[in-house]
Amino acid sequence: MSKQSAQPQNQQAWLGGLLKGIVKLLSWMPLRLNHALGSALGSLFYWIPNSNRRIALINIQQVYPELSSEQQKAMLKANLKQTAKAFLELGPAWYWSSEKLFDKIVEIKGKELVDQAMAKEKGVVFLGPHIGSWELIATYLSVLYPSTILYRPPNVPSIEEFMVNARGRFGATMVATDGRGVRNLMKALKNKEVTAILPDQDPGESGGVYAPFFGRPARTMTLVSKLLQKTDSECLFAVMQRLPKGAGYVLHFLPADECIASEDPEVATIALNKGVERCIAIAPEQYLWSYKRYRKPPQGVADIYKNKP
């Protein structure tokens, strides 16, 4: 191995070790302190120019044009605090026992929807958008039900094994988001298992179609509709809403429109995004607005992330 190729690997290993250490440290803290640090970090990100602040403000202005400038900035500040909390929650999410985590879920709304879905003895696809503590949704499901969960390999390869082991420590089978992973997921759903999918990720050029998201076209995955068609599974939305001052979480289950399984990609993705919008309405400030949901717009539609301060 040449010195040039070894250097990036050493940097990746160093960064991976640092991230593991930070997550471990965060797991030792009580949730109230964890969230207090998140609020402080989010406030810092509000005052210091950075890409998260910039993208979040653009998205908030796009989605909530009826708000005044001051209201949009207030929502931005609250949102950056919530985004920081989501990162700092990786300690509890990846290290705490199931008993300790479940103790923080103070209320479950829509549990009857889960019971009804399970009673049909089919696979169940849970759609958990980037809102609140989305990491805990898959953890909750894997404790209670046989689960196979898709994951996107991290940008830091040296942390992948650690991440997979942490997410799968309660028995979930973790499969990467590639062709083999999707095939394994289909097999698991046909075997009446459950899965959790982040439905608002950009699927790339070949994995989806454009569908309105808060009135603006966004690339939207067709994976969900294909899974439902080929496995005859049930489908529900899920949101782990974060409560103030480390008080815990409220877990919401919401029904999915039956059109989400349509063979027409346009119909299915419209239903998918409408479901995501309903989830966001539960706690708009807890959505990951710093994500470029409108990246790579269709021809003739302006890119809202370009040429803006």
Side-chain angles (χ1 to χ4, degrees), residues 186-253:
M186 286 186 178
K187 182 178 179 181
L189 288 171
K190 289 178 180 179
N191 288 335
K192 306 175 185 178
E193 292 190 19
V194 308
T195 191
I197 294 175
L198 293 162
D200 50 347
Q201 286 184 324
D202 182 355
E205 295 182 5
S206 61
V209 298
Y210 288 100
F213 180 63
F214 288 104
R216 189 176 188 85
R219 292 197 298 198
T220 305
M221 66 172 62
T222 53
L223 172 62
V224 173
S225 59
K226 291 176 181 177
L227 286 174
L228 297 176
Q229 293 162 20
K230 294 181 179 181
T231 66
D232 191 31
S233 296
E234 295 296 300
C235 185
L236 294 171
F237 283 92
V239 174
M240 189 74 76
Q241 180 187 6
R242 187 180 299 109
L243 296 177
K245 298 180 180 180
Y249 307 91
V250 175
L251 177 55
H252 302 257
F253 292 107

Side-chain angles (χ1 to χ4, degrees), residues 70-90:
E70 290 305 311
Q71 288 173 322
Q72 290 173 344
K73 289 179 180 178
M75 184 173 180
L76 171 65
K77 187 173 184 179
N79 178 247
L80 292 173
K81 290 181 179 180
Q82 295 293 335
T83 301
K85 290 179 183 179
F87 171 73
L88 296 183
E89 283 171 344
L90 288 179

Side-chain angles (χ1 to χ4, degrees), residues 20 94 135 151-154 159-168 174:
K20 293 175 191 177
W94 289 4
E135 276 281 346
Y151 76 93
R152 179 170 291 182
I159 202 174
E160 181 172 2
E161 183 178 1
F162 167 64
M163 181 189 75
V164 168
N165 290 338
R167 288 176 171 175
M174 305 300 299

Side-chain angles (χ1 to χ4, degrees), residues 17-294:
L18 177 62
L19 290 173
K20 293 175 191 177
I22 291 173
V23 172
K24 179 68 173 179
L25 176 62
L26 293 171
S27 72
W28 296 338
M29 300 178 183
L31 194 61
R32 185 182 181 91
L33 177 57
N34 188 294
H35 284 179
L37 290 174
S39 291
L41 184 60
S43 294
L44 182 63
F45 271 79
Y46 176 78
W47 292 110
I48 297 176
N50 60 87
S51 61
N52 284 337
R53 183 186 191 280
R54 175 180 173 272
I55 300 304
L57 180 58
I58 291 172
N59 283 331
I60 289 170
Q61 290 171 335
Q62 169 64 41
V63 173
Y64 301 105
E66 73 280 4
L67 298 181
S68 68
S69 176
E70 290 305 311
Q71 288 173 322
Q72 290 173 344
K73 289 179 180 178
M75 184 173 180
L76 171 65
K77 187 173 184 179
N79 178 247
L80 292 173
K81 290 181 179 180
Q82 295 293 335
T83 301
K85 290 179 183 179
F87 171 73
L88 296 183
E89 283 171 344
L90 288 179
W94 289 4
Y95 272 102
W96 283 11
S97 67
S98 59
E99 294 79 10
K100 192 173 181 179
L101 287 171
F102 275 41
D103 186 57
K104 294 298 181 182
I105 302 175
V106 300
E107 185 179 4
I108 300 177
K109 296 185 177 182
K111 180 62 165 59
E112 69 280 1
L113 297 174
V114 180
D115 295 337
Q116 292 165 9
M118 294 299 174
K120 295 181 180 180
E121 297 186 348
K122 298 180 179 181
V124 183
V125 177
F126 289 91
L127 304 176
H130 289 86
I131 180 172
S133 187
W134 62 83
E135 276 281 346
L136 291 182
I137 294 174
T139 300
Y140 172 86
L141 295 172
S142 67
V143 172
L144 298 178
Y145 311 108
S147 306
T148 296
I149 309 294
L150 283 176
Y151 76 93
R152 179 170 291 182
N155 293 328
V156 182
S158 58
I159 202 174
E160 181 172 2
E161 183 178 1
F162 167 64
M163 181 189 75
V164 168
N165 290 338
R167 288 176 171 175
R169 70 188 187 281
F170 298 123
T173 299
M174 305 300 299
V175 293
T177 51
D178 54 23
R180 181 179 180 183
V182 172
R183 289 192 295 272
N184 286 337
L185 182 56
M186 286 186 178
K187 182 178 179 181
L189 288 171
K190 289 178 180 179
N191 288 335
K192 306 175 185 178
E193 292 190 19
V194 308
T195 191
I197 294 175
L198 293 162
D200 50 347
Q201 286 184 324
D202 182 355
E205 295 182 5
S206 61
V209 298
Y210 288 100
F213 180 63
F214 288 104
R216 189 176 188 85
R219 292 197 298 198
T220 305
M221 66 172 62
T222 53
L223 172 62
V224 173
S225 59
K226 291 176 181 177
L227 286 174
L228 297 176
Q229 293 162 20
K230 294 181 179 181
T231 66
D232 191 31
S233 296
E234 295 296 300
C235 185
L236 294 171
F237 283 92
V239 174
M240 189 74 76
Q241 180 187 6
R242 187 180 299 109
L243 296 177
K245 298 180 180 180
Y249 307 91
V250 175
L251 177 55
H252 302 257
F253 292 107
L254 293 79
D257 190 310
E258 62 181 14
C259 290
I260 207 168
S262 173
E263 294 184 0
D264 184 330
E266 183 177 354
V267 172
T269 51
I270 288 174
L272 177 62
N273 281 349
K274 285 294 183 183
V276 174
E277 290 175 13
R278 291 199 306 272
C279 291
I280 293 172
I282 293 173
E285 75 284 356
Q286 294 189 22
Y287 187 64
L288 189 65
W289 293 117
S290 55
Y291 182 65
K292 289 185 177 181
R293 189 65 186 87
Y294 299 111

